[in-house]
Amino acid sequence: MTGLRQRPVVVVDPGHGGRDPGNPGRFFPNGISEKDVNLGIGRLLRAELQRRGIGASLTRTTDTLIDLRDRAGFCRDDCELFVSVHVNAMPTGRRTASANGVETYFLSDAKTEDQRRVARMENDAIRFETDTPVRPNADLAFILRDLQQNEYLRESARAAELVQGQVAEIHPGGGRGVQQAGFMVLSTARRPAILIETGFATHRGDAAFLASAVGQRRLAGAVADGIVAYLLEFERKLAIDGGGR
Ligand SMILES: [Zn+2]
């Protein structure tokens, strides 16, 4: 029992797919890349949400590619939250072996080099889309323009905070905090939206956790708990603001 009075709808978006493998997953078992882990966690998250009485659906249920800008459109008027699931990777360098842990993003301009790195890495998926011409500057302008129309900034930031609080508890690499950056996949969202970097494929411990059935299940359960906490808070706020509407 979650205490939710309504039956809210959440859309879960397993990142990448099809000819876009996502990051290659340095320490994932052979033949597994980010797109597979995202789909595994996404399916389990849908099940965990449904178990908690939430109407949950996926942007993709198979190994197929959806354009970045089409994904958030699966979360429409009757949908309370869009959740994109990804795996982080640290480029080769001094910090490669040590960087680990989970972080949750909402859409806003990046403030740190790490945030810019993650947004670049995820936005780079656009090169796998056949119909979308790659125009880095135009794309950046597109994101910045959308930022100004981001009426759900506060809700998205709060959802990120509540989800991050739960996943950091169960993650072997711990939490890296709530983050913000210009993700193309979130820029077309017209509802509250977050993106979870579930851990580093370039870290031995994180990669083993993410590739395991137990790890994926624990992550999905924790994310679902965070989402329930957000939805409960949102329901309470509506009840107060709406005066029992
Ligand atoms: Zn990704």
Side-chain angles (χ1 to χ4, degrees), residues 160-209:
E161 191 176 357
L162 290 167
V163 166
Q164 177 65 20
Q166 293 292 326
V167 284
E169 289 285 315
I170 58 94
H171 201 287
R176 295 165 63 85
V178 171
Q179 309 283 346
Q180 59 184 73
F183 292 101
M184 214 170 286
V185 67
L186 301 184
S187 72
T188 53
R190 294 295 171 264
R191 301 291 297 146
I194 60 174
L195 183 148
I196 308 171
E197 292 286 349
T198 54
F200 284 79
T202 43
H203 185 274
R204 247 177 230 286
D206 275 16
F209 179 72

mmCIF file of all heavy atoms in Angstrom, residues 160-209:
data_model
loop_
_atom_site.group_PDB
_atom_site.id
_atom_site.type_symbol
_atom_site.label_atom_id
_atom_site.label_comp_id
_atom_site.label_asym_id
_atom_site.label_seq_id
_atom_site.Cartn_x
_atom_site.Cartn_y
_atom_site.Cartn_z
ATOM 1 N N ALA A 160 13.726 14.429 -8.857
ATOM 2 C CA ALA A 160 15.120 13.983 -8.913
ATOM 3 C C ALA A 160 15.670 13.802 -7.502
ATOM 4 O O ALA A 160 16.356 12.811 -7.202
ATOM 5 C CB ALA A 160 15.966 14.988 -9.688
ATOM 6 N N GLU A 161 15.337 14.736 -6.622
ATOM 7 C CA GLU A 161 15.837 14.697 -5.251
ATOM 8 C C GLU A 161 15.310 13.454 -4.510
ATOM 9 O O GLU A 161 16.062 12.752 -3.828
ATOM 10 C CB GLU A 161 15.358 15.973 -4.555
ATOM 11 C CG GLU A 161 15.980 16.253 -3.226
ATOM 12 C CD GLU A 161 15.496 17.601 -2.665
ATOM 13 O OE1 GLU A 161 14.730 18.323 -3.357
ATOM 14 O OE2 GLU A 161 15.851 17.916 -1.543
ATOM 15 N N LEU A 162 14.011 13.185 -4.653
ATOM 16 C CA LEU A 162 13.411 12.059 -3.931
ATOM 17 C C LEU A 162 13.886 10.716 -4.490
ATOM 18 O O LEU A 162 14.121 9.775 -3.738
ATOM 19 C CB LEU A 162 11.881 12.171 -3.968
ATOM 20 C CG LEU A 162 11.342 13.328 -3.106
ATOM 21 C CD1 LEU A 162 9.875 13.606 -3.409
ATOM 22 C CD2 LEU A 162 11.524 13.027 -1.613
ATOM 23 N N VAL A 163 14.035 10.623 -5.802
ATOM 24 C CA VAL A 163 14.539 9.384 -6.407
ATOM 25 C C VAL A 163 16.005 9.181 -6.012
ATOM 26 O O VAL A 163 16.413 8.090 -5.596
ATOM 27 C CB VAL A 163 14.378 9.413 -7.943
ATOM 28 C CG1 VAL A 163 15.200 8.306 -8.600
ATOM 29 C CG2 VAL A 163 12.898 9.275 -8.316
ATOM 30 N N GLN A 164 16.798 10.243 -6.116
ATOM 31 C CA GLN A 164 18.219 10.142 -5.787
ATOM 32 C C GLN A 164 18.413 9.687 -4.334
ATOM 33 O O GLN A 164 19.279 8.868 -4.029
ATOM 34 C CB GLN A 164 18.915 11.481 -6.044
ATOM 35 C CG GLN A 164 20.388 11.534 -5.681
ATOM 36 C CD GLN A 164 21.254 10.615 -6.536
ATOM 37 O OE1 GLN A 164 20.858 10.213 -7.629
ATOM 38 N NE2 GLN A 164 22.425 10.262 -6.050
ATOM 39 N N GLY A 165 17.599 10.207 -3.428
ATOM 40 C CA GLY A 165 17.697 9.839 -2.018
ATOM 41 C C GLY A 165 17.525 8.342 -1.815
ATOM 42 O O GLY A 165 18.229 7.721 -1.011
ATOM 43 N N GLN A 166 16.614 7.744 -2.565
ATOM 44 C CA GLN A 166 16.362 6.307 -2.430
ATOM 45 C C GLN A 166 17.457 5.464 -3.090
ATOM 46 O O GLN A 166 17.945 4.502 -2.499
ATOM 47 C CB GLN A 166 15.003 5.941 -3.063
ATOM 48 C CG GLN A 166 13.802 6.526 -2.318
ATOM 49 C CD GLN A 166 13.607 5.914 -0.935
ATOM 50 O OE1 GLN A 166 13.881 4.741 -0.724
ATOM 51 N NE2 GLN A 166 13.147 6.711 0.010
ATOM 52 N N VAL A 167 17.846 5.802 -4.309
ATOM 53 C CA VAL A 167 18.830 4.957 -5.009
ATOM 54 C C VAL A 167 20.216 5.045 -4.369
ATOM 55 O O VAL A 167 20.955 4.060 -4.362
ATOM 56 C CB VAL A 167 18.946 5.262 -6.534
ATOM 57 C CG1 VAL A 167 17.770 4.696 -7.277
ATOM 58 C CG2 VAL A 167 19.120 6.726 -6.811
ATOM 59 N N ALA A 168 20.553 6.211 -3.831
ATOM 60 C CA ALA A 168 21.867 6.365 -3.194
ATOM 61 C C ALA A 168 22.006 5.393 -2.022
ATOM 62 O O ALA A 168 23.100 4.906 -1.724
ATOM 63 C CB ALA A 168 22.057 7.806 -2.724
ATOM 64 N N GLU A 169 20.880 5.084 -1.359
ATOM 65 C CA GLU A 169 20.875 4.184 -0.193
ATOM 66 C C GLU A 169 21.308 2.767 -0.547
ATOM 67 O O GLU A 169 21.946 2.099 0.253
ATOM 68 C CB GLU A 169 19.453 4.104 0.387
ATOM 69 C CG GLU A 169 18.994 5.366 1.078
ATOM 70 C CD GLU A 169 19.653 5.530 2.442
ATOM 71 O OE1 GLU A 169 19.700 4.535 3.187
ATOM 72 O OE2 GLU A 169 20.123 6.645 2.731
ATOM 73 N N ILE A 170 20.905 2.298 -1.719
ATOM 74 C CA ILE A 170 21.125 0.878 -2.043
ATOM 75 C C ILE A 170 22.278 0.671 -3.041
ATOM 76 O O ILE A 170 22.629 -0.445 -3.358
ATOM 77 C CB ILE A 170 19.832 0.226 -2.608
ATOM 78 C CG1 ILE A 170 19.318 0.961 -3.861
ATOM 79 C CG2 ILE A 170 18.738 0.222 -1.538
ATOM 80 C CD1 ILE A 170 19.783 0.399 -5.151
ATOM 81 N N HIS A 171 22.850 1.750 -3.547
ATOM 82 C CA HIS A 171 23.875 1.621 -4.597
ATOM 83 C C HIS A 171 25.254 1.331 -3.995
ATOM 84 O O HIS A 171 25.666 2.031 -3.079
ATOM 85 C CB HIS A 171 23.925 2.912 -5.426
ATOM 86 C CG HIS A 171 24.524 2.735 -6.774
ATOM 87 N ND1 HIS A 171 25.877 2.553 -6.958
ATOM 88 C CD2 HIS A 171 23.971 2.665 -8.003
ATOM 89 C CE1 HIS A 171 26.120 2.411 -8.249
ATOM 90 N NE2 HIS A 171 24.976 2.467 -8.898
ATOM 91 N N PRO A 172 25.960 0.316 -4.525
ATOM 92 C CA PRO A 172 27.278 -0.008 -3.951
ATOM 93 C C PRO A 172 28.279 1.137 -4.106
ATOM 94 O O PRO A 172 29.205 1.265 -3.306
ATOM 95 C CB PRO A 172 27.725 -1.238 -4.750
ATOM 96 C CG PRO A 172 26.918 -1.217 -6.005
ATOM 97 C CD PRO A 172 25.612 -0.586 -5.638
ATOM 98 N N GLY A 173 28.091 1.975 -5.124
ATOM 99 C CA GLY A 173 28.994 3.109 -5.330
ATOM 100 C C GLY A 173 28.511 4.376 -4.629
ATOM 101 O O GLY A 173 29.155 5.425 -4.720
ATOM 102 N N GLY A 174 27.364 4.301 -3.962
ATOM 103 C CA GLY A 174 26.824 5.464 -3.264
ATOM 104 C C GLY A 174 26.234 6.491 -4.216
ATOM 105 O O GLY A 174 26.124 6.249 -5.421
ATOM 106 N N GLY A 175 25.889 7.652 -3.681
ATOM 107 C CA GLY A 175 25.225 8.686 -4.466
ATOM 108 C C GLY A 175 26.156 9.820 -4.847
ATOM 109 O O GLY A 175 27.037 10.178 -4.079
ATOM 110 N N ARG A 176 25.962 10.355 -6.030
ATOM 111 C CA ARG A 176 26.738 11.512 -6.500
ATOM 112 C C ARG A 176 25.869 12.764 -6.534
ATOM 113 O O ARG A 176 26.254 13.788 -7.095
ATOM 114 C CB ARG A 176 27.305 11.227 -7.892
ATOM 115 C CG ARG A 176 28.320 10.081 -7.909
ATOM 116 C CD ARG A 176 28.581 9.586 -9.319
ATOM 117 N NE ARG A 176 29.163 10.577 -10.202
ATOM 118 C CZ ARG A 176 30.466 10.837 -10.295
ATOM 119 N NH1 ARG A 176 31.317 10.184 -9.537
ATOM 120 N NH2 ARG A 176 30.909 11.729 -11.144
ATOM 121 N N GLY A 177 24.673 12.649 -5.960
ATOM 122 C CA GLY A 177 23.819 13.830 -5.809
ATOM 123 C C GLY A 177 22.899 14.095 -6.987
ATOM 124 O O GLY A 177 22.956 13.427 -8.020
ATOM 125 N N VAL A 178 22.029 15.082 -6.783
ATOM 126 C CA VAL A 178 21.139 15.540 -7.848
ATOM 127 C C VAL A 178 21.942 16.461 -8.759
ATOM 128 O O VAL A 178 22.717 17.286 -8.283
ATOM 129 C CB VAL A 178 19.929 16.291 -7.256
ATOM 130 C CG1 VAL A 178 19.113 16.958 -8.351
ATOM 131 C CG2 VAL A 178 19.069 15.324 -6.453
ATOM 132 N N GLN A 179 21.769 16.294 -10.083
ATOM 133 C CA GLN A 179 22.548 17.065 -11.045
ATOM 134 C C GLN A 179 21.615 17.712 -12.063
ATOM 135 O O GLN A 179 20.451 17.324 -12.183
ATOM 136 C CB GLN A 179 23.520 16.132 -11.795
ATOM 137 C CG GLN A 179 24.364 15.248 -10.899
ATOM 138 C CD GLN A 179 25.508 15.983 -10.243
ATOM 139 O OE1 GLN A 179 25.848 17.104 -10.643
ATOM 140 N NE2 GLN A 179 26.106 15.384 -9.234
ATOM 141 N N GLN A 180 22.152 18.672 -12.806
ATOM 142 C CA GLN A 180 21.374 19.310 -13.858
ATOM 143 C C GLN A 180 22.212 19.482 -15.115
ATOM 144 O O GLN A 180 23.413 19.746 -15.023
ATOM 145 C CB GLN A 180 20.860 20.666 -13.379
ATOM 146 C CG GLN A 180 21.955 21.634 -12.971
ATOM 147 C CD GLN A 180 21.375 22.919 -12.409
ATOM 148 O OE1 GLN A 180 20.854 22.953 -11.299
ATOM 149 N NE2 GLN A 180 21.468 23.985 -13.195
ATOM 150 N N ALA A 181 21.584 19.288 -16.277
ATOM 151 C CA ALA A 181 22.289 19.472 -17.541
ATOM 152 C C ALA A 181 21.285 19.558 -18.677
ATOM 153 O O ALA A 181 20.090 19.294 -18.487
ATOM 154 C CB ALA A 181 23.277 18.323 -17.785
ATOM 155 N N GLY A 182 21.778 19.925 -19.879
ATOM 156 C CA GLY A 182 20.904 20.113 -21.035
ATOM 157 C C GLY A 182 20.750 18.851 -21.856
ATOM 158 O O GLY A 182 21.424 18.684 -22.871
ATOM 159 N N PHE A 183 19.872 17.980 -21.442
ATOM 160 C CA PHE A 183 19.641 16.734 -22.170
ATOM 161 C C PHE A 183 18.566 16.913 -23.230
ATOM 162 O O PHE A 183 17.455 17.352 -22.931
ATOM 163 C CB PHE A 183 19.184 15.623 -21.220
ATOM 164 C CG PHE A 183 20.237 15.172 -20.264
ATOM 165 C CD1 PHE A 183 20.243 15.617 -18.960
ATOM 166 C CD2 PHE A 183 21.244 14.313 -20.678
ATOM 167 C CE1 PHE A 183 21.226 15.216 -18.080
ATOM 168 C CE2 PHE A 183 22.228 13.896 -19.810
ATOM 169 C CZ PHE A 183 22.219 14.351 -18.498
ATOM 170 N N MET A 184 18.897 16.508 -24.444
ATOM 171 C CA MET A 184 17.926 16.621 -25.531
ATOM 172 C C MET A 184 16.678 15.778 -25.244
ATOM 173 O O MET A 184 15.560 16.178 -25.544
ATOM 174 C CB MET A 184 18.581 16.159 -26.818
ATOM 175 C CG MET A 184 18.092 16.918 -28.023
ATOM 176 S SD MET A 184 19.128 16.508 -29.417
ATOM 177 C CE MET A 184 20.596 17.414 -29.027
ATOM 178 N N VAL A 185 16.877 14.608 -24.638
ATOM 179 C CA VAL A 185 15.748 13.706 -24.393
ATOM 180 C C VAL A 185 14.746 14.321 -23.411
ATOM 181 O O VAL A 185 13.549 14.036 -23.479
ATOM 182 C CB VAL A 185 16.232 12.315 -23.910
ATOM 183 C CG1 VAL A 185 16.865 12.399 -22.523
ATOM 184 C CG2 VAL A 185 15.086 11.314 -23.890
ATOM 185 N N LEU A 186 15.215 15.204 -22.526
ATOM 186 C CA LEU A 186 14.304 15.852 -21.573
ATOM 187 C C LEU A 186 13.749 17.162 -22.119
ATOM 188 O O LEU A 186 12.756 17.689 -21.624
ATOM 189 C CB LEU A 186 15.023 16.136 -20.241
ATOM 190 C CG LEU A 186 15.615 14.939 -19.481
ATOM 191 C CD1 LEU A 186 16.193 15.404 -18.140
ATOM 192 C CD2 LEU A 186 14.565 13.859 -19.246
ATOM 193 N N SER A 187 14.413 17.702 -23.158
ATOM 194 C CA SER A 187 14.062 19.055 -23.616
ATOM 195 C C SER A 187 12.695 19.112 -24.297
ATOM 196 O O SER A 187 12.099 20.186 -24.380
ATOM 197 C CB SER A 187 15.142 19.585 -24.562
ATOM 198 O OG SER A 187 15.080 18.903 -25.791
ATOM 199 N N THR A 188 12.184 17.984 -24.770
ATOM 200 C CA THR A 188 10.869 17.998 -25.408
ATOM 201 C C THR A 188 9.758 17.608 -24.429
ATOM 202 O O THR A 188 8.598 17.511 -24.821
ATOM 203 C CB THR A 188 10.828 17.034 -26.616
ATOM 204 O OG1 THR A 188 11.275 15.747 -26.177
ATOM 205 C CG2 THR A 188 11.713 17.522 -27.742
ATOM 206 N N ALA A 189 10.132 17.372 -23.166
ATOM 207 C CA ALA A 189 9.137 16.970 -22.164
ATOM 208 C C ALA A 189 8.198 18.127 -21.860
ATOM 209 O O ALA A 189 8.636 19.261 -21.719
ATOM 210 C CB ALA A 189 9.828 16.506 -20.883
ATOM 211 N N ARG A 190 6.917 17.830 -21.792
ATOM 212 C CA ARG A 190 5.936 18.838 -21.387
ATOM 213 C C ARG A 190 5.299 18.462 -20.064
ATOM 214 O O ARG A 190 4.226 18.944 -19.712
ATOM 215 C CB ARG A 190 4.877 18.998 -22.488
ATOM 216 C CG ARG A 190 5.443 19.583 -23.774
ATOM 217 C CD ARG A 190 5.951 21.022 -23.572
ATOM 218 N NE ARG A 190 6.680 21.536 -24.728
ATOM 219 C CZ ARG A 190 8.001 21.502 -24.849
ATOM 220 N NH1 ARG A 190 8.759 20.993 -23.883
ATOM 221 N NH2 ARG A 190 8.593 21.957 -25.929
ATOM 222 N N ARG A 191 5.970 17.553 -19.366
ATOM 223 C CA ARG A 191 5.593 17.119 -18.034
ATOM 224 C C ARG A 191 6.873 17.035 -17.203
ATOM 225 O O ARG A 191 7.969 17.078 -17.775
ATOM 226 C CB ARG A 191 4.914 15.737 -18.093
ATOM 227 C CG ARG A 191 3.658 15.679 -18.944
ATOM 228 C CD ARG A 191 2.506 16.457 -18.346
ATOM 229 N NE ARG A 191 2.092 15.923 -17.060
ATOM 230 C CZ ARG A 191 1.633 16.690 -16.057
ATOM 231 N NH1 ARG A 191 1.558 17.989 -16.191
ATOM 232 N NH2 ARG A 191 1.257 16.146 -14.919
ATOM 233 N N PRO A 192 6.777 16.899 -15.879
ATOM 234 C CA PRO A 192 8.007 16.729 -15.087
ATOM 235 C C PRO A 192 8.817 15.539 -15.616
ATOM 236 O O PRO A 192 8.248 14.521 -16.015
ATOM 237 C CB PRO A 192 7.472 16.449 -13.677
ATOM 238 C CG PRO A 192 6.142 17.140 -13.643
ATOM 239 C CD PRO A 192 5.578 16.981 -15.029
ATOM 240 N N ALA A 193 10.144 15.703 -15.632
ATOM 241 C CA ALA A 193 10.990 14.692 -16.269
ATOM 242 C C ALA A 193 12.351 14.611 -15.586
ATOM 243 O O ALA A 193 12.928 15.640 -15.219
ATOM 244 C CB ALA A 193 11.162 15.038 -17.751
ATOM 245 N N ILE A 194 12.852 13.385 -15.430
ATOM 246 C CA ILE A 194 14.184 13.185 -14.849
ATOM 247 C C ILE A 194 14.962 12.148 -15.660
ATOM 248 O O ILE A 194 14.378 11.412 -16.447
ATOM 249 C CB ILE A 194 14.126 12.723 -13.365
ATOM 250 C CG1 ILE A 194 13.368 11.400 -13.228
ATOM 251 C CG2 ILE A 194 13.501 13.803 -12.493
ATOM 252 C CD1 ILE A 194 13.392 10.811 -11.806
ATOM 253 N N LEU A 195 16.273 12.141 -15.470
ATOM 254 C CA LEU A 195 17.138 11.160 -16.132
ATOM 255 C C LEU A 195 18.074 10.593 -15.063
ATOM 256 O O LEU A 195 18.716 11.356 -14.336
ATOM 257 C CB LEU A 195 17.916 11.830 -17.256
ATOM 258 C CG LEU A 195 18.830 10.943 -18.108
ATOM 259 C CD1 LEU A 195 18.901 11.465 -19.550
ATOM 260 C CD2 LEU A 195 20.251 10.860 -17.528
ATOM 261 N N ILE A 196 18.137 9.257 -14.973
ATOM 262 C CA ILE A 196 18.978 8.611 -13.965
ATOM 263 C C ILE A 196 20.192 7.995 -14.633
ATOM 264 O O ILE A 196 20.065 7.209 -15.572
ATOM 265 C CB ILE A 196 18.198 7.504 -13.219
ATOM 266 C CG1 ILE A 196 16.880 8.063 -12.681
ATOM 267 C CG2 ILE A 196 19.033 6.934 -12.070
ATOM 268 C CD1 ILE A 196 15.959 7.003 -12.128
ATOM 269 N N GLU A 197 21.384 8.367 -14.162
ATOM 270 C CA GLU A 197 22.624 7.694 -14.564
ATOM 271 C C GLU A 197 22.883 6.680 -13.463
ATOM 272 O O GLU A 197 23.354 7.008 -12.378
ATOM 273 C CB GLU A 197 23.780 8.695 -14.695
ATOM 274 C CG GLU A 197 23.636 9.677 -15.850
ATOM 275 C CD GLU A 197 23.889 9.043 -17.223
ATOM 276 O OE1 GLU A 197 24.375 7.889 -17.280
ATOM 277 O OE2 GLU A 197 23.576 9.699 -18.239
ATOM 278 N N THR A 198 22.541 5.406 -13.749
ATOM 279 C CA THR A 198 22.431 4.393 -12.706
ATOM 280 C C THR A 198 23.768 3.888 -12.158
ATOM 281 O O THR A 198 23.782 3.063 -11.239
ATOM 282 C CB THR A 198 21.634 3.184 -13.233
ATOM 283 O OG1 THR A 198 22.250 2.738 -14.457
ATOM 284 C CG2 THR A 198 20.186 3.560 -13.517
ATOM 285 N N GLY A 199 24.872 4.355 -12.728
ATOM 286 C CA GLY A 199 26.182 3.915 -12.271
ATOM 287 C C GLY A 199 27.154 3.937 -13.441
ATOM 288 O O GLY A 199 26.765 4.304 -14.554
ATOM 289 N N PHE A 200 28.405 3.568 -13.187
ATOM 290 C CA PHE A 200 29.446 3.674 -14.218
ATOM 291 C C PHE A 200 29.816 2.302 -14.784
ATOM 292 O O PHE A 200 30.240 1.412 -14.044
ATOM 293 C CB PHE A 200 30.699 4.325 -13.639
ATOM 294 C CG PHE A 200 30.575 5.806 -13.463
ATOM 295 C CD1 PHE A 200 29.875 6.336 -12.378
ATOM 296 C CD2 PHE A 200 31.121 6.679 -14.381
ATOM 297 C CE1 PHE A 200 29.744 7.701 -12.209
ATOM 298 C CE2 PHE A 200 30.997 8.056 -14.228
ATOM 299 C CZ PHE A 200 30.301 8.568 -13.139
ATOM 300 N N ALA A 201 29.687 2.181 -16.119
ATOM 301 C CA ALA A 201 30.108 0.949 -16.791
ATOM 302 C C ALA A 201 31.630 0.865 -16.818
ATOM 303 O O ALA A 201 32.195 -0.181 -17.133
ATOM 304 C CB ALA A 201 29.565 0.917 -18.211
ATOM 305 N N THR A 202 32.302 1.977 -16.511
ATOM 306 C CA THR A 202 33.763 2.003 -16.483
ATOM 307 C C THR A 202 34.309 1.686 -15.089
ATOM 308 O O THR A 202 35.508 1.800 -14.853
ATOM 309 C CB THR A 202 34.268 3.399 -16.924
ATOM 310 O OG1 THR A 202 33.452 4.396 -16.284
ATOM 311 C CG2 THR A 202 34.176 3.562 -18.427
ATOM 312 N N HIS A 203 33.424 1.329 -14.163
ATOM 313 C CA HIS A 203 33.844 0.957 -12.802
ATOM 314 C C HIS A 203 33.466 -0.505 -12.559
ATOM 315 O O HIS A 203 32.309 -0.885 -12.755
ATOM 316 C CB HIS A 203 33.164 1.874 -11.772
ATOM 317 C CG HIS A 203 33.620 1.637 -10.374
ATOM 318 N ND1 HIS A 203 33.049 0.681 -9.558
ATOM 319 C CD2 HIS A 203 34.604 2.220 -9.648
ATOM 320 C CE1 HIS A 203 33.663 0.694 -8.380
ATOM 321 N NE2 HIS A 203 34.605 1.615 -8.417
ATOM 322 N N ARG A 204 34.430 -1.299 -12.114
ATOM 323 C CA ARG A 204 34.211 -2.731 -11.939
ATOM 324 C C ARG A 204 33.003 -3.044 -11.054
ATOM 325 O O ARG A 204 32.143 -3.846 -11.416
ATOM 326 C CB ARG A 204 35.451 -3.359 -11.300
ATOM 327 C CG ARG A 204 36.180 -4.300 -12.187
ATOM 328 C CD ARG A 204 37.444 -4.817 -11.505
ATOM 329 N NE ARG A 204 38.594 -4.669 -12.391
ATOM 330 C CZ ARG A 204 38.816 -5.436 -13.448
ATOM 331 N NH1 ARG A 204 37.977 -6.403 -13.767
ATOM 332 N NH2 ARG A 204 39.870 -5.236 -14.219
ATOM 333 N N GLY A 205 32.965 -2.418 -9.895
ATOM 334 C CA GLY A 205 31.897 -2.705 -8.926
ATOM 335 C C GLY A 205 30.533 -2.279 -9.443
ATOM 336 O O GLY A 205 29.558 -3.040 -9.383
ATOM 337 N N ASP A 206 30.455 -1.053 -9.965
ATOM 338 C CA ASP A 206 29.191 -0.547 -10.516
ATOM 339 C C ASP A 206 28.704 -1.437 -11.658
ATOM 340 O O ASP A 206 27.530 -1.799 -11.735
ATOM 341 C CB ASP A 206 29.371 0.884 -11.074
ATOM 342 C CG ASP A 206 29.214 1.958 -10.000
ATOM 343 O OD1 ASP A 206 29.265 1.603 -8.807
ATOM 344 O OD2 ASP A 206 29.068 3.143 -10.367
ATOM 345 N N ALA A 207 29.619 -1.791 -12.556
ATOM 346 C CA ALA A 207 29.242 -2.564 -13.748
ATOM 347 C C ALA A 207 28.697 -3.936 -13.354
ATOM 348 O O ALA A 207 27.699 -4.398 -13.917
ATOM 349 C CB ALA A 207 30.441 -2.712 -14.686
ATOM 350 N N ALA A 208 29.331 -4.579 -12.372
ATOM 351 C CA ALA A 208 28.866 -5.893 -11.918
ATOM 352 C C ALA A 208 27.464 -5.774 -11.328
ATOM 353 O O ALA A 208 26.588 -6.604 -11.596
ATOM 354 C CB ALA A 208 29.840 -6.466 -10.882
ATOM 355 N N PHE A 209 27.258 -4.724 -10.537
ATOM 356 C CA PHE A 209 25.948 -4.479 -9.920
ATOM 357 C C PHE A 209 24.887 -4.252 -10.996
ATOM 358 O O PHE A 209 23.809 -4.852 -10.967
ATOM 359 C CB PHE A 209 26.068 -3.250 -9.013
ATOM 360 C CG PHE A 209 24.801 -2.830 -8.316
ATOM 361 C CD1 PHE A 209 24.279 -3.584 -7.272
ATOM 362 C CD2 PHE A 209 24.147 -1.657 -8.687
ATOM 363 C CE1 PHE A 209 23.114 -3.189 -6.615
ATOM 364 C CE2 PHE A 209 22.988 -1.250 -8.035
ATOM 365 C CZ PHE A 209 22.469 -2.011 -6.997
#
